[in-house]
Amino acid sequence: MTTVTHPPGTGQVELVIGGMTCASCANRIEKKLNKLDGVTATVNYATEKARVDFTGDVSPEALIATVEQAGYTAALPAPKQPETEQAPIAEADPTASLRTRLIVSAVLTVPVIAMAMIPALQFTNWQWLSLTLAAPVVVWGALPFHRAALTNLRHGTATMDTLVSMGTLAAFGWSLYALFWGTAGTPGMTHPFEFTIARMDGTGSIYLEAAAGVTTFILAGRYFEARSKRRAGAALKALLELGAKDVAVLRGGVETRIPVEELAVGDEFIVRPGEKIATDGVITEGTSAVDASMLTGESVPVEVGVDDDVTGATVNVGGRLVVRATRIGADTQLAQMARLVEDAQTGKAQAQRLADRISGIFVPIVIALAVATLGFWLGTGGSVAAAFTAAVAVLIIACPCALGLATPTALMVGTGRGAQLGILIKGPEVLESTRLVDTIVLDKTGTVTTGKMTLLDVIPAEGELGSTVLELAGALEDSSEHPIAQAIAKGARDEFGTLSQVEGFANVEGLGVQGVVDGHAVIVGRARLLADWSQALDEKLETALAQAESAGRTAVAVGWDGKARGVLVVADAVKPSSARAIAQFRELGLTPILLTGDNARAARAIGDEVGIAEVIAEVLPQDKVDTVKRLQAEGKVVAMVGDGVNDAAALAQADLGLSMGTGADVAIEASDLTLVRGDLRAAADAIRLSRRTLATIKGNLFWAFAYNVAAIPLAMAGLLNPMLAGAAMAFSSVFVVSNSLRLRRFKSTAQ
C-alpha cells in the first residue's frame, strides 16, 4: 500500500475486495463500512476496490474484518515489485477459473439436455447417466451462485443469484427425490415428447436438464461480462506508462543514462529533440518548442526557454534542453492526473444490473407463490406428494434460463455491430447511462479538430503571387522541425510535389527561420523578425495578420530580398464531419458544450464554425473534471468526448465517456465507448446504438421472465409437464437470441 501523508487522526486506505457478483454487493459493502464511526467509503464493482477515508482510531484490520463480516474478502494491495531485467511474469487471468467452470459445465450439460428432449436417446436407465452428468454442474458449476445466494440470505436480500440457486437446487433436489424415492428411477422410464396439460404424479418426473441448462447459460453470461470488466483498471496503467522510462542525467558534468525512478529532485537532465521530458522541472539551458497537447489540449506547441517550467511526459519538438528536476514520482503532474482518473472511476455510480433489480422483486413473489401453492393443496385435502410437487414446480419454472442470455447476447450482437462501424462498447453497465444523457461535452483538439497543424490560407502582398509565397516559404520551413514549419512545408509539398534546396539555413530562436532559396534571401517567422530586417508588412498583410490572430489562428509572415511578400495562416483544422455531428447530437436531444485547454479566441472560432454556443476554454485537466462535476450537480447527465491524456479524468468522471480511438491509450481505457474511426459522427452513432442495445436487453429480460411466468399457473395447478418446462426454457432462449440478432440491422448515419 502506498503511504500517504495525512493530518493527525485521518487517513486513507485502499482495499482489494473479493466475492462481489453484482453492483448490489458493492452497495452492501459500502453501507457496512460507512456505518463505522469516522469512515467514508466508496466501493467500485468494476475495479473490485474500495477506497476508505477515515478519521480517528480506525485500523485497516478493522476495515477488513467489517468487509469479511458482510460475507466478502478484503485485503490490502500487494506492494509494487521493482522492475528487473528478467522477463515480466505474465499477469494471472482473473476470468480463467470462470472459463474453466463454463467449459466443463457446457460439456456435461449438452448430453443432459439432448437426452431429456429427444426420446430416441432415452435408453434404459438414461436417467441415471443424466444424474451423473448434471450433478457436477449443479453442485460445482453453480457454486458461485449458491455462495452469493447464501450471502444474500444472510442480509435479507435477493438478486439474480438467489433466483438461479433456488431454481436449480429445487429442480435438482426434486429430481433426486423422484429418482430415489419416486418412480423416475425405474428402468425404462421416459419423458414422452408431448405438451399435454394434465395432472400427474410428480414423483415420476425429473428436471435435470433445466437445472444443468440454467447453470450453464448463466455461467456463459457471467463469463462474457467478466471478460469485459477485466479491462477496468487498465486506464491507470496506461497513464503511468506514458512517462519516459530512462533519462540522460548530468552528474559532475558527465552525462549518464539512468532509469527515471532513480532521478532525484535537483538533478539536471538532458532532453534532445523528439524525446519525452522525464519529469516536471525548470529549464536551465536551451530553447525549444514543447508539445504539451496531450496534457493541456493546447494544439500549438509552446515556446520555452531558460527559467520556464516544463511538465513530465510532454515532448520536446525543437532544440536541446537541460532541465533541473523539481518534482518526481507521485508529486508530478502526470501522477496527479492518474489519481484524478482513479478518483473519478472509484466515485462513479455503478448502475445495478437490470436482472438483479427484477430479481429483487420477483424472488419474494415466487417464494410466496410456492408457499401459497403448498398451503392450498394441503388445505384442500391433497396428498403431501402432490402438494410438494406443485410447490417445487413453481420454483423450477420460475428460474428462467434466458435470463443468463438476455444481456450477453444483446451485448455481443450490439458490440459486434458497433465494431463493424468503428464503435467499441466496454460492457453492459455503459448502456444504462446512454438512455438519460442530455449534455455532451466535447474536447476540441483531436476531437472536433484534427489535432494537427494545417496550412489554411496564403495571403500574398499586392503584386505578389500566392504560389510563389508558398513555394519559397515551404522550401525554407522544410528544414525546420517545428510543427508549424512542418505544416507549411506539407502544404507546399502537397501543392508542388518537390521543394527547392535551401542554402545557409539558420534558426532564429523563438522568432523564425532564414536561408537562401533559388537565389532569394528568404525570412519566415514573426512580424518582428521581418521588422528587424526592415521588411515592414503593408496594410493588407497587417489586416490579414490581425484577423488570423483574432480568430485564434497562427499567422506567419514571409519576406525575401528586402520586402515582406505575404502571410501564411496555420491552425488546427476542423474535421469535415464535425458540424454534421453536432447537428446529430441536437437531433438526439443533447446539448453540446466545447471544453478545451486551448486559448479562448481559438476555441470560440471553432465553436462558431461547428455550431456550438457554449464554449469553455483555457481549462486544466482538473478544471475539466470540475466542469463535468458542476454539470452533474446541476442535474445534467453528461457524456464526454475526448482523445488526450488531459481528458482521461473527465472521461472517467462523466456518466458516459467516449474516446477517439486515434487518441491516447489512457483516454481510451478511461472511457466507456471508443470511436475507432476518429469521426465525431461515430459518437452520435455510438449513443444511438447503445440506446438500441439497452432497449433490446430490456425487451429480452421482459420475455425471459414472461415465458416462465406464463407457466407458473400450470405449475401451481400441478399440471407442469417436464416437456412444458423444457419448452418454456427453449422458447424463451430462442426468442432472446433472435431479438438480439435484430441489432445487426443497425445502420450508421455516416455511411
Side-chain angles (χ1 to χ4, degrees):
M1 184 186 69
T2 304
T3 303
V4 185
T5 304
H6 296 281
T10 70
Q12 185 184 84
V13 68
E14 186 180 78
L15 300 176
V16 178
I17 307 295
M20 293 191 294
T21 60
C22 62
S24 58
C25 297
N27 294 339
R28 190 176 302 132
I29 297 169
E30 205 168 276
K31 286 177 183 175
K32 282 281 186 184
L33 289 171
N34 286 329
K35 284 180 181 177
L36 298 175
D37 290 337
V39 169
T40 304
T42 54
V43 180
N44 189 332
Y45 168 59
T47 59
E48 297 183 334
K49 289 182 180 179
R51 173 166 292 185
V52 186
D53 293 290
F54 58 87
T55 57
D57 189 18
V58 178
S59 67
E61 290 74 19
L63 297 172
I64 291 171
T66 301
V67 175
E68 289 175 346
Q69 286 168 10
Y72 304 91
T73 63
L76 296 172
K80 184 179 178 182
Q81 298 296 323
E83 292 186 12
T84 64
E85 296 299 321
Q86 298 176 353
I89 299 172
E91 185 181 348
D93 182 358
T95 65
S97 62
L98 185 56
R99 183 172 62 244
T100 302
R101 202 178 293 268
L102 170 60
I103 292 170
V104 172
S105 297
V107 169
L108 296 175
T109 298
V110 169
V112 173
I113 294 176
M115 285 188 291
M117 301 295 287
I118 304 172
L121 298 178
Q122 294 173 5
F123 55 86
T124 304
N125 292 322
W126 68 273
Q127 66 270 43
W128 296 103
L129 176 60
S130 186
L131 174 64
T132 304
L133 296 173
V137 178
V138 176
V139 176
W140 174 77
L143 190 59
F145 308 129
H146 303 323
R147 283 176 181 157
L150 192 60
T151 302
N152 293 332
L153 181 63
R154 286 205 300 265
H155 296 93
T157 59
T159 64
M160 179 177 160
D161 293 311
T162 310
L163 187 58
V164 173
S165 177
M166 188 176 67
T168 53
L169 288 178
F172 186 69
W174 186 258
S175 299
L176 284 178
Y177 174 77
L179 284 167
F180 287 98
W181 291 279
T183 59
T186 307
M189 185 278 283
T190 60
H191 275 175
F193 196 80
E194 56 186 23
F195 299 107
T196 54
I197 298 176
R199 191 158 296 133
M200 53 186 224
D201 180 8
T203 58
S205 302
I206 59 173
Y207 299 93
L208 293 171
E209 79 286 354
V214 166
T215 300
T216 301
F217 280 129
I218 294 179
L219 278 174
R222 288 289 169 85
Y223 171 68
F224 292 126
E225 184 179 21
R227 196 172 60 173
S228 66
K229 197 180 78 171
R230 186 186 173 194
R231 296 166 59 98
L236 300 178
K237 188 185 294 184
L239 183 52
L240 293 171
E241 286 177 355
L242 282 172
K245 300 297 182 287
D246 54 18
V247 57
V249 69
L250 283 173
R251 286 177 177 164
V254 179
E255 181 180 332
T256 309
R257 203 140 200 106
I258 62 170
V260 74
E261 292 84 6
E262 296 178 14
L263 196 64
V265 172
D267 280 347
E268 290 193 341
F269 58 92
I270 296 169
V271 189
R272 292 180 173 80
E275 288 185 340
K276 289 180 180 177
I277 296 172
T279 193
D280 298 358
V282 176
I283 296 173
T284 60
E285 183 184 321
T287 59
S288 183
V290 172
D291 180 2
S293 60
M294 68 177 187
L295 288 175
T296 66
E298 176 69 54
S299 53
V300 180
V302 181
E303 302 287 346
V304 292
V306 175
D307 294 332
D308 286 338
D309 292 327
V310 288
T311 305
T314 55
V315 180
N316 175 23
V317 296
R320 176 182 181 274
L321 296 175
V322 178
V323 180
R324 185 178 70 253
T326 56
R327 290 186 293 190
I328 60 170
D331 297 325
T332 64
Q333 188 172 340
L334 185 66
Q336 289 168 3
M337 286 176 62
R339 283 197 292 274
L340 280 177
V341 173
E342 189 168 22
D343 289 345
Q345 284 188 334
T346 302
K348 195 173 183 179
Q350 295 293 320
Q352 284 191 356
R353 282 177 31 212
L354 290 170
D356 282 329
R357 295 184 192 174
I358 299 170
S359 298
I361 302 167
F362 189 64
V363 172
I365 293 174
V366 169
I367 293 173
L369 288 174
V371 172
T373 301
L374 180 66
F376 173 79
W377 284 106
L378 290 175
T380 55
S383 68
V384 174
F388 271 98
T389 297
V392 172
V394 171
L395 296 179
I396 294 169
I397 196 63
C399 186
C401 103
L403 192 63
L405 294 173
T407 297
T409 54
L411 192 65
M412 279 192 293
V413 179
T415 53
R417 180 60 183 145
Q420 291 174 341
L421 301 174
I423 302 162
L424 305 181
I425 303 173
K426 290 286 178 70
E429 297 88 356
V430 172
L431 307 174
E432 184 74 12
S433 53
T434 62
R435 181 171 56 91
L436 301 172
V437 166
D438 55 21
T439 303
I440 186 160
V441 176
L442 304 162
D443 172 53
K444 181 183 76 68
T445 308
T447 301
V448 177
T449 65
T450 61
K452 297 178 181 178
M453 302 302 289
T454 306
L455 178 66
L456 298 183
D457 201 4
V458 179
I459 300 103
E462 292 293 342
E464 299 292 341
L465 293 174
S467 58
T468 307
V469 173
L470 178 58
E471 187 174 11
L472 294 178
L476 182 61
E477 293 281 43
D478 195 37
S479 298
S480 172
E481 296 174 335
H482 198 288
I484 293 175
Q486 287 299 304
I488 293 171
K490 183 179 184 302
R493 195 177 292 105
D494 290 345
E495 182 73 21
F496 305 109
T498 57
L499 301 176
S500 301
Q501 294 295 314
V502 179
E503 299 173 12
F505 175 85
N507 180 34
V508 183
E509 290 182 355
L511 293 176
V513 293
Q514 60 190 44
V516 178
V517 182
D518 294 340
H520 301 287
V522 184
I523 301 172
V524 181
R526 299 176 189 263
R528 202 175 91 202
L529 178 61
L530 270 69
D532 290 345
W533 289 85
S534 301
Q535 297 181 16
L537 274 62
D538 62 24
E539 187 177 345
K540 178 185 177 183
L541 298 183
E542 287 279 10
T543 302
L545 195 73
Q547 286 177 343
E549 290 178 347
S550 66
R553 294 168 175 170
T554 300
V556 177
V558 182
W560 65 82
D561 297 344
K563 182 182 176 183
R565 310 280 183 165
V567 167
L568 304 175
V569 179
V570 177
D572 184 5
V574 173
K575 292 179 181 177
S577 60
S578 291
R580 177 61 190 135
I582 303 303
Q584 289 178 2
F585 293 143
R586 294 189 191 280
E587 291 167 8
L588 289 168
L590 308 179
T591 302
I593 297 173
L594 190 64
L595 182 67
T596 178
D598 215 338
N599 68 77
R601 286 186 305 180
R604 181 69 268 168
I606 297 296
D608 291 341
E609 188 172 344
V610 298
I612 299 178
E614 187 173 350
V615 176
I616 304 171
E618 299 178 11
V619 291
L620 297 173
Q622 175 63 60
D623 299 327
K624 290 191 174 187
V625 178
D626 292 341
T627 300
V628 172
K629 286 181 178 177
R630 174 178 60 79
L631 291 168
Q632 289 170 330
E634 292 171 2
K636 294 180 171 63
V637 182
V638 181
M640 166 84 187
V641 188
D643 77 320
V645 175
N646 60 309
D647 303 316
L651 286 167
Q653 176 63 43
D655 299 287
L656 179 69
L658 301 96
S659 67
M660 310 301 280
T662 51
D665 287 348
V666 65
I668 294 170
E669 294 293 354
S671 65
D672 303 308
L673 293 160
T674 301
L675 313 175
V676 176
R677 295 201 308 264
D679 184 336
L680 196 55
R681 287 175 298 179
D685 287 339
I687 292 173
R688 286 195 307 112
L689 177 60
S690 296
R691 287 178 176 177
R692 185 84 57 82
T693 306
L694 180 65
T696 302
I697 288 173
K698 287 184 174 179
N700 285 349
L701 288 170
F702 172 78
W703 287 108
F705 281 99
Y707 274 107
N708 297 77
V709 169
I712 285 179
L714 295 176
M716 294 176 70
L719 303 173
L720 184 63
N721 182 310
M723 291 307 299
L724 281 175
M729 186 174 81
F731 286 148
S732 58
S733 300
V734 169
F735 180 88
V736 160
V737 172
S738 58
N739 189 43
S740 298
L741 289 173
R742 293 191 306 125
L743 287 167
R744 294 166 65 182
R745 298 201 294 265
F746 178 87
K747 286 187 170 52
S748 168
T749 55
Q751 292 180 337

